Amino acid sequence: PGAAMDLFGDLRRMNKRQLYYQVLNFAMIVSSALMIWKGLIVVTGSESPIVVVLSGSMEPAFHRGDLLFLTNFHDDPIRAGEIVVFKVEGRDIPIVHRVIKVHEKGNGNIKFLTKGDNNEVDDRGLYKEGQNWLEKKDVVGRARGFLPYVGMVTIIMNDYPKFKYALLAVMGAYVLLKRES
């Protein structure tokens, strides 16, 4: 309760010009982050240029919480051994797994099968019913690099929503109340 009263006291003591300046500053930070994200989408060719590994299915290559950097250039052929992030119809969350088999047809169509390194069986059980192979249209991106465990913050915020809102409130309050010197 005391911290909340201090926050409101600080807001009341600010003049309108300072408050508008801080709100504008906050809006610029948010819009800059969105512009950087959209720029990454254009540069990488992937609708999601950065993803977090959510399970242990790719251990030891990637662990839960690793942050993956993706590209998705359609001219690049998909090869066995490559790690792809794909989205399956009926599932909201993309899956990070390795390509284990590739079938190329003479007309240029490619179909492929994936499997998690730490899984016993291939991914046919994860695909939509009746689907045995993935196609290029299913690929969100291909892993090009990673930062270990950096994505644990995202996992914690998803697992504990109250923590996420508290963190956002603290960050918002900091930006609004920070005074320029």
Side-chain angles (χ1 to χ4, degrees), residues 83-126:
I83 295 169
V84 297
V85 177
F86 61 92
K87 202 158 184 181
V88 177
E89 197 176 304
R91 291 184 179 262
D92 295 334
I93 299 172
I95 300 168
V96 179
H97 280 174
R98 190 178 304 275
V99 175
I100 58 170
K101 287 184 184 174
V102 177
H103 284 281
E104 292 185 61
K105 295 185 179 178
N107 62 2
N109 280 356
I110 295 174
K111 292 187 179 217
F112 56 95
L113 181 64
T114 56
K115 176 184 171 294
D117 290 356
N118 202 21
N119 293 348
E120 296 291 323
V121 296
D122 63 42
D123 290 342
R124 286 188 173 128
L126 298 175

Side-chain angles (χ1 to χ4, degrees), residues 49 67 71 158:
L67 192 70
T71 62
N158 283 335

Side-chain angles (χ1 to χ4, degrees), residues 32-42 46-51:
S32 294
L34 289 173
M35 287 190 297
I36 290 169
W37 182 256
K38 289 296 183 181
L40 281 173
I41 289 172
V42 170
S46 174
E47 68 187 57
S48 186
I50 300 171
V51 296

Side-chain angles (χ1 to χ4, degrees), residues 3-4 7 26 162-178:
L7 174 71
F26 184 70
K162 288 179 182 174
F163 175 75
K164 172 173 53 179
Y165 297 125
L167 185 64
L168 288 172
V170 167
M171 287 174 29
Y174 174 76
V175 170
L176 286 174
L177 297 176
K178 185 182 99 181

